[in-house]
Amino acid sequence: MAETAELANTNGLRAARRSPAEHLAETFTAGSVPGAVTLKEIPYQAMVGIRVERDSDAGTRIASVTGGLPATCGEVTGTGSVNALWLGPAEFLVVAPEESHDSLGGSLVGDLTAALGADQGQVVDLSANRTTFELSGSRAREVLEKSCSADLHPRVLKAGTALATEIGHIPVMLWKTGEETFRIFPRASFADYLGRWLLDSMREYASPEVP
């Protein structure tokens, strides 16, 4: 009975939420160019900031929850659904599906907090701090290269690599999840600006003159 009430409360809270770029969903669809470049928001992902020494006992326990912790800049570790991105030698961003928030199946934040225990470190729920854009297609890299100073060539930025950079002067985490797919994590307050910036950068690929 208690679980039923908790599930109903969870569903009620979900229905009341509005993602940072929800108002742009139709604009993203209209501005996408099938076969060239598409843009969409993946809202409500669980994101947890971790500060812990990777090689400490606490780091080992946390790694057992996340499927590992990255050792170097750009590295991403994880189990497929739960992934850890390198922010610094002792700082990581854990990204997981929305369902990881649910306490009925075991909360990701709760599991990470328990893994840290009383040891030195920090576990902070940052889910409301950022949203996720997914940019994909054969022209996705070209769109990003218009306003991102990082070297995005496949020889340098390989699939499975993530880095902190700027796009359109907005600080983001950029994660190349596939050969032609990128996930971008801007802070929620910049979602509208960056979403429109990306759409403007995509505009030329809607032209019939572009092969």
Side-chain angles (χ1 to χ4, degrees):
M1 190 70 175
E3 288 190 359
T4 301
E6 187 173 354
L7 179 60
N9 183 59
T10 297
N11 290 336
L13 291 173
R14 282 181 173 174
R17 293 179 305 178
R18 296 293 181 268
S19 68
E22 181 174 315
H23 60 293
L24 294 175
E26 292 184 2
T27 307
F28 284 174
T29 300
S32 293
V33 185
V37 60
T38 61
L39 175 63
K40 66 179 181 180
E41 183 188 24
I42 304 176
Y44 312 129
Q45 288 202 103
M47 299 188 199
V48 186
I50 303 292
R51 289 183 182 271
V52 69
E53 291 296 333
R54 182 178 177 274
D55 295 329
S56 66
D57 290 342
T60 299
R61 294 194 300 270
I62 286 175
S64 71
V65 176
T66 62
L69 288 175
T72 60
C73 179
E75 185 181 359
V76 177
T77 59
T79 61
S81 59
V82 179
N83 293 276
L85 284 61
W86 193 93
L87 299 180
E91 186 176 4
F92 312 94
L93 179 67
V94 178
V95 181
E98 175 186 1
E99 294 74 21
S100 299
H101 285 297
D102 295 348
S103 59
L104 293 178
S107 165
L108 176 62
V109 175
D111 291 344
L112 290 169
T113 300
L116 179 63
D119 289 359
Q120 186 174 3
Q122 192 176 47
V123 174
V124 181
D125 188 348
L126 299 176
S127 304
N129 182 252
R130 298 176 184 266
T131 191
T132 306
F133 291 153
E134 184 171 85
L135 190 73
S136 60
S138 60
R139 301 288 191 174
R141 176 165 65 94
E142 294 175 33
V143 169
L144 292 174
E145 286 175 333
K146 293 181 180 183
S147 57
C148 180
S149 60
D151 189 344
L152 304 181
H153 193 281
R155 287 195 300 266
V156 177
L157 189 70
K158 301 180 185 300
T161 302
L163 73 160
T165 185
E166 290 187 357
I167 300 173
H169 308 296
I170 300 300
V172 300
M173 284 299 297
L174 178 65
W175 179 13
K176 187 176 182 180
T177 56
E179 293 302 328
E180 296 183 344
T181 305
F182 300 83
R183 288 197 175 181
I184 306 164
F185 304 98
R187 298 192 186 278
S189 57
F190 293 127
D192 180 87
Y193 176 90
L194 184 60
R196 295 181 189 278
W197 183 285
L198 291 170
L199 282 169
D200 188 59
S201 297
M202 293 162 55
R203 197 181 307 276
E204 71 169 286
Y205 303 110
S207 170
E209 285 78 22
V210 177

